[in-house]
Structures are given as structure tokens and as C-alpha cells.
Amino acid sequence: MYEELYVALPAVDRYWERLGLAPAAGQPDAALLDRIIGAHQRSIPFDNLDVCDFHLPVSLGIPDLFEKIIVGTRGGYCFELNALFDAFLTEVGFEVAPCMARSLKDYGYLQPVMHRGALVTLDGRRLYCDVGYGGPLPACALPLEDGARVTSCGQVFRVDAAAGSWWHISYCGSVESDAERPATPVLAFLDQPLDTVDFVPLSHFASTHPNSVFTQRRMVNRRTDDGNVSITADQFTQVGAAGKEQWTISGEEEFRALLAQHFGIVLSR
């Protein structure tokens, strides 16, 4: 019943091609891991369209995810993107295991665990990796080291040990900012590897329950070379070196045009 959660990728070379990277030779290292994470965030968008717009069942089987995201050049949400990412890292030679996480964005209440991340063990270090969160998250791995500060793409993040085996990621602003700003909580993750099958019920809730944020509003986003682009509900936002642009999408035709232009998504339905 769950065998397809564990099968190998159908074609590793197609994955490298989708990332815009040449296949790596030699032993996997931290530089390669960061390069893969950054390329993943730029090349493969986050999108919840199958859940929010089309009300389709979400398969976490590796063949289905490969066909949708790699062959079909679509995006996905965390349970899809990080599942495929884990399978790819395993093929490349990394030691990786999935972990549960929760958003710390302030909605006025504690959000349930509805996120999948990845824990990589490399050269005796534990690292948190993520290519399936809307942001802000760094385009690199984060060390499980209390108080560690990591700069990525001009943004500063901090990692803090929390109660039990939980760790918190906070956004500390841009390196160009002159003024000190309070750190903004972003994500909590559990340093406890789970089994892939454990995410099936979490994904089912996230993709079907009316209280899930994924069923309530359309979300599409992608990292760019100098910022990011996103669609949230009917708002399009582009952030780059020239500043920030934002406007309300006028209708379905403009929405589909923006999807194709900025996210490489051409809808067939």
C-alpha cells in the first residue's frame, strides 16, 4: 500500500536537469548540499494549487511526485517537495531523514505540526534543510548549533535550541540593515527523524481539512536570483534589487499568465 513512498527516483539525471545543475561527481559535501538547496528553491516553486484550486488528492509516492514536479515542471507543497528532495539527496549519497516541523508565523495561536523538513548528517554535523517552505528560509543548510547565525542571499537567520528536541529558526533581517531588529520566529523543527509513512496522515489533513491554511488560500512562491516572487490569494508580489512591486491579479487569464512567466507553470486544466 505504501511501497511507492520508498522507491528510488525514476531518473536522477532528469532531476539534475530540472535544477539546472550538472550532475556532481565525488563525495557529497556541504558546498554541494547548499548548491542543491539554492537551485531547488530557484527552479522548483512552492504551490498548493492542486489542494486549493483543483481539490485533487495529493500522492506522496515518489513516481507520482517525479512525474508531477520533474517531468510536468510543476511545484508542490512541503510534503511533496521535501519528500522528493529527500529521495534525491539519498541518490546523491547524503544521509538524510525526514522530520516534522511547525510554522511559527504569528496567527494568534499555536499552529499544528503541518510541515515536513529534512535532517542531514554530514561529517559528524547535524543540518536542517528545507526546499518546501514559503519563506523566509535560507537557501542553504542550517547547523543544529544553539545560537548559530547563518547569512544566506543577504538575509541573516538564527538557530536556537528550544525545549525538548525542538529547534527554532528566526529571521534577523538583511545584512544591509543598519539598525538592529528583533528576530522574527519563522519555523520550529523536531530533531527526531521520522519514517516517510508518518507524513501521510499529516498531508491528508493539510490537503483536505477546512481549517488547513493550504485549503483556504492559493499560495505560489519561488526564490529568484535577487529576491522572490509570490502569489498569495489574488495578490502578486515581486521583490528584487529594484525594490518591491505588488498588485491585485485581475482574473484567471492574468493569473495563468503570471504562473507561466514567473513560475514556469503551465496549467493543463
Side-chain angles (χ1 to χ4, degrees), residues 230-254:
S230 66
I231 295 174
T232 304
D234 63 351
Q235 297 294 305
F236 174 79
T237 304
Q238 182 169 358
V239 179
K244 179 178 178 179
E245 290 184 276
Q246 187 173 46
W247 66 81
T248 300
I249 301 171
S250 62
E252 187 69 12
E253 183 176 348
E254 184 185 10

Side-chain angles (χ1 to χ4, degrees), residues 150-240:
V150 174
T151 300
S152 172
C153 300
Q155 297 175 312
V156 182
F157 297 86
R158 195 181 71 222
V159 182
D160 294 297
S165 296
W166 285 94
W167 292 77
H168 287 184
I169 301 171
S170 301
Y171 174 56
C172 303
S174 66
V175 294
E176 293 84 5
S177 177
D178 294 327
E180 286 291 325
R181 55 164 286 173
T184 303
V186 175
L187 190 74
F189 64 91
L190 186 65
D191 182 20
Q192 179 61 58
L194 297 184
D195 202 285
T196 300
V197 73
D198 295 327
F199 295 93
V200 172
L202 292 177
S203 179
H204 179 70
F205 176 91
S207 63
T208 62
H209 200 279
N211 288 342
S212 166
V213 66
F214 300 111
T215 64
Q216 293 174 359
R217 59 179 181 174
R218 171 189 289 166
M219 291 180 283
V220 190
N221 59 69
R222 182 180 68 82
R223 180 181 292 280
T224 62
D225 290 338
D226 61 355
N228 62 81
V229 288
S230 66
I231 295 174
T232 304
D234 63 351
Q235 297 294 305
F236 174 79
T237 304
Q238 182 169 358
V239 179

Side-chain angles (χ1 to χ4, degrees), residues 5-124:
L5 301 175
Y6 300 94
V7 300
L9 290 175
V12 179
D13 286 349
R14 290 288 298 273
Y15 208 119
W16 284 112
E17 182 181 346
R18 179 82 165 93
L19 295 181
L21 298 176
Q27 288 294 110
D29 57 19
L32 175 61
L33 181 60
D34 287 350
R35 192 157 66 248
I36 289 172
I37 294 171
H40 213 294
Q41 293 178 0
R42 290 189 298 271
S43 302
I44 302 178
F46 176 102
D47 88 63
N48 70 332
L49 301 179
D50 283 355
V51 172
C52 185
D53 287 50
F54 305 125
H55 310 292
L56 296 174
V58 174
S59 171
L60 300 185
I62 295 301
D64 290 339
L65 293 176
F66 188 88
E67 185 66 26
K68 173 185 174 179
I69 296 168
I70 304 302
V71 178
T73 63
R74 276 286 307 278
Y77 71 165
C78 67
F79 297 107
E80 300 171 288
L81 296 180
N82 280 327
L84 204 60
F85 173 66
D86 283 10
F88 178 66
L89 289 185
T90 300
E91 291 286 335
V92 173
F94 288 98
E95 181 183 342
V96 57
C99 68
M100 69 171 71
R102 74 169 87 243
S103 173
L104 294 179
K105 292 180 179 179
D106 185 9
Y107 288 100
Y109 56 88
L110 180 66
Q111 297 185 61
V113 170
M114 278 203 300
H115 186 68
R116 171 178 175 155
L119 294 171
V120 171
T121 302
L122 182 64
D123 298 329

